[in-house]
Amino acid sequence: MPTDCISYQTSGYFSKLIQDYLDQKSELKPLYNHFPTLENFEKQIAEKASNFDNRNRIPLVETLKKQYQNIEISDSTKQNIELLSLENTFTITTGHQLNLFSGPLYFLYKIISTINLTKELKSKYPSYNFVPIYWMATEDHDFEEINYFNFKGKKFRWNKESNGPVGRLSTEGLAEFLEIYSQELGSSTNANTLKKLFEDAYLKHDNLADATRFLANSLFANYGLVILDADDAGLKRAFIPYVKEELENQTSYKTVQETIEKQFKDYTVQVNPREINLFYIEDNLRERIIFEEEKYFVNHTKLSFSKEQIFAELENHPEKFSPNVIMRPLYQEIILPNLCYIGGGGEIAYWLELKSFFDAVKITFPILLVRNSVLLATEKQAKKADQLNLSWKDLFTKQENLINTITHKISAFPIDLTPQKEILKTQFQYLYELADQTDKSFSGAVKAQEVKQTKGLENLEKRLLKAQKRKLSDQLQRVVDLQCELFPNNSLQERQNNFSEFYLEKGEQLIPLLLQKLKPLEMNFNIITI
């Protein structure tokens, strides 16, 4: 079984920005507060404790109790909700969209990273409490991103119209979806468990937020996970001053745009700020707020407000003002006593644009941690990799490069014609020496001939490689087949497959296995044999 370790930086699946962040490049230091090490959390705790408004703990606990009142929860989750009222309790947070049946596998890895980090912190700092939070992205409106999941190479899609915040979306129509999905699951004990989980989550709850809460709670309640839906008027009261600041001064746009212009010259910008980074929402509406000619307009509607009117609307109905991707992190850090945000590479990339904005509004910027990434391999797949003499590093290589590398490795003779090129170079060196002693036109002829013959050798080398690929096609196909199993659609497994595919095999052992194996602060790509 291959035993090599893959770092995020060498995996080939992380952007230059994230690689440089993980390498703690000095030019990125202005973009974050403290790097995620166990020791740095001591500083973060001190900063958050002095900056956080503890009055916000009261509506937080009240809201959570209200949201959990119709759901059976574990003692550990119940205890964690109560602990949030104490000033020595802090949170570790991850966020995720309301993907149907959790969507891709990394839903699990985000939450497990969060749970495991709270355990590490409690061990290191026992006088404090640390609560894992899953922030449900209930106010998102891009339904096309979340209305499907992949199972055994097939896409299962929920066809439905959606215009407003997805958390408020009715689950009507998912009974027919379950019928189709059930046929693919089969009739094993684990398959029946998955069917019941889907049924209890989506057919017994009226909206997507409640369904997703039930699903995540069913999977993780025993580990004290607290699930928060921040689409709540009580929670948004604390956000009112920052919404006013955004409406009046557009601080987020000014600060984030300046950061992008100064710090992102060598990096891809993940998100670009708008002049006002807020939406106006109702059950079937989520549209941008735009400021023009001294008035505030709700895009694609007839709604408009003067400054006084929109401030009055905000005071009376704070739940109608929804932060976009730029403002949401600020909302999170205002209502939670949070120390760290755990997210994928894309999420951490946009958080890195926000430090100057947080500084401007005087809110502590959290530690940013790249979530655990995982490749799940069966014993059979690991054994096959051994038989093919493949390392995990080989399997992470882009397919064309992998085929070339393996062809060179298993060929009975060298395919590299470098020695022949060196001999040719030596021969032409003699001709250049002759050229120096005669007419200059001869030197040009020598150069032309060298280029021609070198190119000829390079073409022969390419043809030799092609010929060997044909000859070794059976062995190479086995390599390709294995890589395609582990990296569906030439992408990371965790971005493609749904957890149910692996639950069928491992059942209730799956999550405990992942919890045992994942170490959030090690920042290596985990290869786990199941």
Side-chain angles (χ1 to χ4, degrees):
M1 184 182 299
T3 56
D4 51 318
C5 182
I6 308 294
S7 71
Y8 292 155
Q9 294 94 314
T10 59
S11 69
Y13 286 94
F14 288 83
S15 69
K16 183 178 185 298
L17 175 63
I18 296 303
Q19 290 178 50
D20 286 354
Y21 172 64
L22 294 170
D23 289 334
Q24 300 183 62
K25 292 285 180 72
S26 58
E27 55 268 32
L28 291 184
K29 290 288 171 69
L31 302 183
Y32 59 93
N33 194 16
H34 300 296
F35 193 75
T37 65
L38 206 50
E39 294 69 30
N40 279 346
F41 274 92
E42 185 173 10
K43 302 172 195 170
Q44 191 73 26
I45 289 168
E47 289 177 23
K48 189 67 180 182
S50 65
N51 182 267
F52 184 68
D53 186 345
N54 284 302
R55 290 173 298 181
N56 292 340
R57 292 177 182 273
I58 297 168
L60 175 62
V61 172
E62 287 176 352
T63 299
L64 285 166
K65 286 180 177 179
K66 181 177 65 179
Q67 291 180 356
Y68 273 97
Q69 65 186 357
N70 295 321
I71 188 171
E72 186 178 337
I73 61 173
S74 66
D75 290 340
S76 55
T77 296
K78 195 179 295 183
Q79 181 186 28
N80 276 343
I81 292 172
E82 294 292 349
L83 286 173
L84 285 168
S85 63
L86 304 178
E87 292 187 11
N88 68 333
T89 298
F90 297 91
T91 62
I92 304 298
T93 302
T94 192
H96 196 67
Q97 294 171 295
L98 307 190
N99 295 72
L100 186 61
F101 213 36
S102 82
L105 267 166
Y106 64 77
F107 170 80
L108 298 189
Y109 307 151
K110 278 183 167 184
I111 292 176
I112 290 169
S113 298
T114 305
I115 291 168
N116 281 350
L117 181 56
T118 61
K119 291 178 185 174
E120 283 193 62
L121 289 172
K122 185 62 179 175
S123 177
K124 177 72 173 175
Y125 305 106
S127 61
Y128 297 100
N129 306 305
F130 304 95
V131 174
I133 299 282
Y134 162 38
W135 178 292
M136 294 195 295
T138 53
E139 294 179 56
D140 281 5
H141 69 299
D142 198 340
F143 184 60
E144 292 300 313
E145 287 187 4
I146 67 166
N147 68 344
Y148 70 93
F149 60 87
N150 297 316
F151 177 79
K152 294 190 174 181
K154 294 181 181 179
K155 180 174 279 191
F156 290 81
R157 185 182 296 278
W158 176 24
N159 295 309
K160 188 180 181 73
E161 290 294 319
S162 172
N163 297 308
V166 293
R168 304 181 191 182
L169 185 65
S170 167
T171 52
E172 188 180 354
L174 281 171
E176 293 83 355
F177 180 98
L178 178 57
E179 283 182 27
I180 298 166
Y181 176 48
S182 295
Q183 292 171 14
E184 294 292 332
L185 278 171
S187 56
S188 67
T189 301
N190 289 339
N192 289 331
T193 301
L194 288 168
K195 290 173 195 174
K196 187 172 190 314
L197 180 59
F198 190 101
E199 182 180 345
D200 289 347
Y202 293 96
L203 306 191
K204 295 182 181 178
H205 293 90
D206 295 333
N207 60 63
L208 200 51
D210 290 347
T212 305
R213 182 186 297 106
F214 180 90
L215 174 65
N217 181 69
S218 298
L219 295 172
F220 293 106
N222 292 335
Y223 308 101
L225 181 68
V226 175
I227 303 154
L228 177 63
D229 177 2
D231 182 9
D232 180 270
L235 293 176
K236 284 189 175 175
R237 291 235 154 259
F239 196 44
I240 287 175
Y242 303 90
V243 175
K244 284 183 177 177
E245 169 72 19
E246 180 69 5
L247 291 169
E248 197 163 19
N249 299 315
Q250 291 88 57
T251 304
S252 67
Y253 174 78
K254 294 167 187 172
T255 53
V256 174
Q257 192 61 36
E258 185 179 1
T259 295
I260 289 170
E261 289 168 6
K262 279 185 179 178
Q263 301 286 342
F264 280 74
K265 291 172 184 173
D266 298 325
Y267 302 110
T268 300
V269 176
Q270 191 71 20
V271 293
N272 286 291
R274 297 187 181 277
E275 289 188 0
I276 293 178
N277 292 288
L278 297 166
F279 290 94
Y280 186 87
I281 62 172
E282 293 175 344
D283 285 351
N284 292 300
L285 174 72
R286 188 177 190 251
E287 289 288 351
R288 288 192 296 119
I289 298 172
I290 299 167
F291 184 65
E292 288 177 357
E293 298 176 355
E294 302 304 312
K295 271 194 170 281
Y296 296 90
F297 296 87
V298 178
N299 201 32
H300 298 133
T301 75
K302 294 179 180 179
L303 291 171
S304 67
F305 304 88
S306 67
K307 180 180 170 181
E308 292 74 20
Q309 287 171 331
I310 203 165
F311 279 9
E313 180 79 348
L314 176 60
E315 290 289 345
N316 294 325
H317 298 287
E319 72 279 5
K320 292 191 176 186
F321 292 79
S322 175
N324 77 351
V325 67
I326 295 288
M327 287 286 286
R328 190 211 65 79
L330 179 67
Y331 178 37
Q332 171 188 298
E333 296 302 310
I334 287 163
I335 66 174
L336 292 177
N338 194 49
L339 302 174
C340 175
Y341 184 76
I342 297 178
E347 289 175 282
I348 301 303
Y350 76 70
W351 272 88
L352 288 168
E353 299 176 24
L354 304 179
K355 174 70 161 53
S356 61
F357 173 41
F358 273 70
D359 291 345
V361 295
K362 297 181 172 57
I363 294 295
T364 301
F365 197 64
I367 287 175
L368 304 177
L369 178 62
V370 179
R371 65 166 171 81
N372 284 119
S373 279
V374 180
L375 174 65
L376 297 176
T378 63
E379 291 279 358
K380 184 178 178 182
Q381 287 167 333
K383 187 176 180 183
K384 197 181 292 185
D386 257 350
Q387 291 169 344
L388 293 168
N389 198 24
L390 292 169
S391 66
W392 293 122
K393 185 178 179 182
D394 289 333
L395 287 162
F396 271 82
T397 308
K398 300 302 178 189
Q399 194 162 100
E400 185 179 352
N401 295 337
L402 174 62
I403 293 168
N404 289 342
T405 300
I406 300 304
T407 305
H408 280 274
K409 188 189 287 189
I410 65 177
S411 176
F413 52 82
I415 299 170
D416 185 2
L417 297 184
T418 299
Q420 287 71 27
K421 292 175 194 172
E422 289 299 321
I423 292 169
L424 190 65
K425 192 174 178 182
T426 302
Q427 290 173 336
F428 273 94
Q429 188 59 44
Y430 171 71
L431 292 173
Y432 279 122
E433 289 170 5
L434 281 181
D436 286 343
Q437 301 172 43
T438 184
D439 188 77
K440 286 185 179 179
S441 62
F442 183 63
S443 179
V446 171
K447 180 65 179 173
Q449 195 60 224
E450 182 187 26
V451 169
K452 182 180 178 181
Q453 292 193 34
T454 301
K455 196 168 185 63
L457 277 176
E458 288 170 352
N459 287 335
L460 282 174
E461 191 174 59
K462 288 175 185 174
R463 293 189 67 173
L464 181 59
L465 179 62
K466 268 188 183 176
Q468 280 298 87
K469 284 180 185 177
R470 283 194 296 271
K471 185 178 179 182
L472 302 169
S473 61
D474 287 347
Q475 288 169 271
L476 293 174
Q477 190 58 51
R478 288 199 291 274
V479 170
V480 169
D481 290 345
L482 177 59
Q483 190 185 48
C484 287
E485 287 176 20
L486 295 169
F487 295 82
N489 298 322
N490 292 317
S491 179
L492 289 177
Q493 176 194 80
E494 63 184 31
R495 296 178 189 168
Q496 296 289 320
N497 299 39
N498 182 260
F499 85 96
S500 58
E501 196 165 325
F502 299 91
Y503 193 96
L504 273 182
E505 298 298 321
K506 296 297 290 184
E508 60 185 19
Q509 298 172 35
L510 178 64
I511 287 175
L513 174 66
L514 293 171
L515 279 154
Q516 177 194 342
K517 296 285 187 181
L518 301 190
K519 311 293 181 191
L521 294 174
E522 288 185 1
M523 302 185 214
N524 285 320
F525 213 108
N526 296 267
I527 295 100
I528 298 176
T529 306
I530 60 172

